[in-house]
Amino acid sequence: MRRWISFLLVCFVSAVCWAQGREKVIIDTDIGDDVDDAFALALAVKSPELEIVGVATTFGETEVRAQIVDRFLGEVGRGDIPVMAGKPVGKTRMSQRPYALGGHFAKSSHGDAAEFLLDQIRKNPGEITLIAIGPLMNVGAAIDRDAATFKKLKRVVIMGGSVRRGYGDFGYNEHVAPQPEWNILNDVASAQKLFTLGVPLYVMPLDSTQTKLDEVKRAFLFTRGTAVTDQLAILYHLWAEQTPTLFDPMAVAYVLKPELCPVTPLHIRADEKGYTREEPGPANAQVCLNSNPEDFFQFYLRRVGAQ
């Protein structure tokens, strides 16, 4: 009996320690447009190191985006994760809209994303990493409501910006000058608030996130036959724009394995046109300027493709 009690005690302590060691994250996403958001969410749910406190949707028809997340999480057995929606801003073209309408997991309404974020920070000060992989509307709203609480995040990791390379500059072809990047451009004011707030900020810009999921890699994932890879296959074929660029998964990968995207301290200013300009001054962000696509995919495919 004593041995049995000791065994149970060891199991309990181990479970508690494991739970305490997980990274608390909230994912803020514009899932439903480009398909890379779904690939980022897939990496998160396949990573036991993460405790996904919630998922929030941003930009355009946020309720439809939230219904896409509802179905994805329900299909993969993670319906326990709260899903929130940001303030809707008009209608947008959304190739993955049928996915939201085609499942039985979608909820008719969702709580307010910015308020959820602030509430979770209050409950867990200094413990939550916000992974923002869409336009920064929810970030800006949360800062406007309670900047002091927002600053109690452990850190913010974003996919956004273009510091030394623009779209289509893969590091081996002709140089493309920095450009306004989508997530920054679609809410410049919120980006400016984030870059000047003083919260620990880690930036995965175009410089390091233009990793192409080619046909061989897609075939590997889509033939694994797991709940997660099946959902990726459906969403990819709804999107159906040939070779996806996995911008957003790099932000999740950085939280899991920071060596995949080494960062450099820089002073970054988001200007009124959506450029993220590198300027002299004290560092306000840790920026990943280079990544190794082979190392990234070795990690990503093994993790997401695991049975």
Side-chain angles (χ1 to χ4, degrees):
M1 177 61 74
R2 288 181 179 176
R3 289 182 180 178
W4 178 244
I5 292 173
S6 298
F7 172 75
L8 291 176
L9 181 60
V10 169
C11 290
F12 173 77
V13 171
S14 298
V16 169
C17 291
W18 177 79
Q20 290 176 340
R22 292 191 298 161
E23 179 101 5
K24 289 182 172 66
V25 301
I26 294 175
I27 300 171
D28 191 58
T29 173
D30 61 337
I31 194 169
D33 293 321
D34 203 346
V35 77
D36 60 325
D37 292 78
F39 282 87
L41 186 56
L43 177 58
V45 299
K46 289 287 285 188
S47 295
E49 304 97 321
L50 302 182
E51 178 187 340
I52 306 174
V53 176
V55 178
T57 59
T58 184
F59 187 65
E61 295 176 81
T62 53
E63 283 290 344
V64 176
R65 298 187 194 280
Q67 290 173 344
I68 292 173
V69 178
D70 286 339
R71 180 175 174 187
F72 186 98
L73 294 177
E75 297 283 3
V76 305
R78 292 305 312 272
D80 58 300
I81 298 173
V83 180
M84 303 292 153
K87 182 180 178 180
V89 187
K91 289 191 174 183
T92 55
R93 175 186 172 274
M94 209 179 304
S95 62
Q96 296 152 72
R97 184 189 303 273
Y99 185 86
L101 306 176
H104 60 278
F105 295 101
K107 300 176 180 66
S108 59
S109 64
H110 301 80
D112 180 78
E115 196 54 45
F116 174 80
L117 173 59
L118 291 170
D119 185 54
Q120 293 303 314
I121 299 169
R122 293 182 189 112
K123 292 176 180 176
N124 305 278
E127 296 182 12
I128 293 177
T129 293
L130 173 63
I131 304 176
I133 54 176
L136 297 167
M137 285 80 172
N138 293 332
V139 169
I143 293 172
D144 286 344
R145 292 183 198 181
D146 191 343
T149 293
F150 190 89
K151 288 180 71 172
K152 293 178 182 178
L153 282 164
K154 177 180 178 180
R155 58 180 171 173
V156 179
V157 180
I158 70 168
M159 187 278 125
S162 170
V163 179
R164 297 178 185 175
R165 299 186 210 166
Y167 285 105
D169 187 335
F170 303 109
Y172 52 79
N173 56 334
E174 293 76 16
H175 175 63
V176 180
Q179 301 163 269
E181 181 274 328
W182 172 265
N183 290 340
I184 303 297
L185 181 62
N186 276 284
D187 193 344
V188 170
S190 291
Q192 291 172 329
K193 293 169 189 173
L194 178 62
F195 277 94
T196 57
L197 186 64
V199 67
L201 178 60
Y202 296 77
V203 179
M204 310 292 121
L206 296 182
D207 308 62
S208 55
T209 59
Q210 298 188 75
T211 53
K212 292 287 188 179
L213 187 71
D214 62 33
E215 185 176 2
V216 173
K217 297 179 180 70
R218 295 197 302 274
F220 168 77
L221 281 180
F222 297 164
T223 56
R224 300 300 286 168
T226 71
V228 170
T229 58
D230 285 352
Q231 302 317 301
L232 290 178
I234 293 169
L235 289 166
Y236 167 77
H237 288 294
L238 286 170
W239 177 75
E241 296 184 24
Q242 298 183 347
T243 304
T245 304
L246 299 195
F247 301 100
D248 292 338
M250 187 64 79
V252 180
Y254 177 79
V255 174
L256 295 163
K257 286 179 69 70
E259 63 268 26
L260 290 173
C261 213
V263 294
T264 300
L266 295 176
H267 184 87
I268 300 294
R269 178 176 65 89
D271 73 11
E272 66 282 355
K273 294 182 179 179
Y275 285 88
T276 41
R277 300 193 182 279
E278 178 184 358
E279 296 182 343
N284 61 351
Q286 302 290 325
V287 184
C288 179
L289 297 170
N290 288 286
S291 65
N292 185 315
E294 181 61 28
D295 290 345
F296 167 75
F297 278 116
Q298 284 286 330
F299 171 70
Y300 185 90
L301 295 175
R302 289 176 186 273
R303 177 63 61 90
V304 177
Q307 296 291 339

